[in-house]
Amino acid sequence: MENKQADKGEGHRSRLRERFLSKGLEGFLDYEVIELLLTMATPRKDCKPAAKAALDRFKTFQGVMDAADDQLCEVPGIGPRNLLPIRLVRAVADRYLHSRMVDAVILGNAETVHTFLRHRLSGLHRECFLAIYLDAKNKVLSTEVLFEGTLTASAVYPREVVRAALDRHAAALIFAHNHPSGDPAPSREDMALTRRLVAACQVVDITVHEHLIVGRNGYYSFADQGHIARMRGAC
């Protein structure tokens, strides 16, 4: 009986893989995508119940992908071994989106930047502050998470930001940080920090083009709202 169930499960796995290789994820339900990932590290076991349980607990596909390791391991059928494909697929997407940005002229390709930052920062459980370093032609040199903070705030030091930019020979910068609460609206502290960063960078002739706050379902752009231009003019 066990052998028959194992053979049936293996057949189902094979069909999932063949569907993906034939048409990608077209037609896949969210739980089937999760199931496909779980099968990569779970030989000869039906992963459908675990995939459905994960989706039921975290509500959405993004919720499953963003869930903390210990939370995922609380789902029946998911253990430390299953975390590898889930974490790997997100890391691969990060690397792919980052590679698309490097050497790109960033100011003419805003959607690429926003896509990368939303993917990189949304869903994080701690607040992170990230810098994108640009050369004189506004091409991306590199990106770096400079500070990590608590669930509600991060300690960002303008002096350290300027030092990092000078070390990388950056001519301009784009800043971004996330709000783990999900709401991208800026706080008074966010406004004050941006003002300090613009002023500190202007002293050493480094241009701040943007500061984005990334939430769960959107972002806030200081540049689009005219704050960056006003802050430059006030310095």
Side-chain angles (χ1 to χ4, degrees):
M1 180 66 70
E2 289 183 2
N3 288 337
K4 288 183 178 180
Q5 289 177 339
D7 291 341
K8 183 178 179 180
E10 190 58 40
H12 176 62
R13 290 161 175 268
S14 296
R15 287 189 293 273
L16 278 178
R17 292 167 183 166
E18 288 168 6
R19 280 175 59 194
F20 173 72
L21 292 174
S22 175
K23 296 184 178 181
L25 293 178
E26 180 183 347
F28 272 71
L29 299 174
D30 284 347
Y31 85 83
E32 291 178 312
V33 179
I34 299 166
E35 180 185 2
L36 183 61
L37 289 172
L38 294 177
T39 64
M40 295 179 182
T42 312
R44 300 180 67 81
K45 181 180 178 182
D46 184 5
C47 294
K48 185 186 295 184
K52 287 187 173 182
L55 197 58
D56 183 62
R57 169 160 182 185
F58 300 109
K59 308 306 179 186
T60 64
F61 179 78
Q62 181 181 343
V64 175
M65 301 304 292
D66 290 341
D69 290 356
D70 57 342
Q71 293 177 323
L72 279 171
C73 288
E74 291 172 359
V75 176
I78 297 182
R81 178 181 294 179
N82 303 110
L83 295 178
L84 174 62
I86 293 175
R87 292 292 171 257
L88 177 61
V89 72
R90 175 154 187 155
V92 169
D94 268 350
R95 179 68 63 88
Y96 170 72
L97 291 172
H98 182 270
S99 68
R100 287 184 61 190
M101 280 209 318
V102 173
D103 292 330
V105 180
I106 216 65
L107 296 186
N109 200 3
E111 186 55 36
T112 298
V113 181
H114 296 162
T115 299
F116 167 74
L117 291 173
R118 287 197 301 269
H119 187 273
R120 180 68 180 82
L121 295 174
S122 67
L124 296 180
H125 303 281
R126 292 170 61 84
E127 194 165 292
C128 294
F129 182 89
L130 179 146
I132 300 177
Y133 304 105
L134 310 175
D135 68 11
K137 295 182 179 179
N138 291 320
K139 290 185 177 181
V140 176
L141 298 170
S142 62
T143 68
E144 181 181 16
V145 173
L146 290 173
F147 304 100
E148 295 186 34
T150 66
L151 286 173
T152 56
S154 58
V156 178
Y157 302 99
R159 181 177 62 183
E160 298 300 321
V161 173
V162 169
R163 179 182 298 170
L166 292 173
D167 286 346
R168 289 153 185 77
H169 306 289
L173 291 165
I174 292 173
F175 299 122
H177 77 276
N178 63 309
H179 279 180
S181 66
D183 181 3
S187 65
R188 284 183 297 179
E189 290 80 7
D190 292 330
M191 295 292 291
L193 170 63
T194 306
R195 193 174 296 110
R196 292 198 303 271
L197 288 170
V198 170
C201 290
Q202 201 155 318
V203 168
V204 293
D205 201 26
I206 294 175
T207 301
V208 175
H209 286 307
E210 175 67 286
H211 183 183
L212 290 169
I213 303 175
V214 178
R216 189 170 295 110
N217 297 310
Y219 62 88
Y220 181 92
S221 165
F222 280 78
D224 287 352
Q225 298 302 317
H227 296 305
I228 298 294
R230 287 194 291 272
M231 289 172 185
R232 283 186 200 154
C235 295

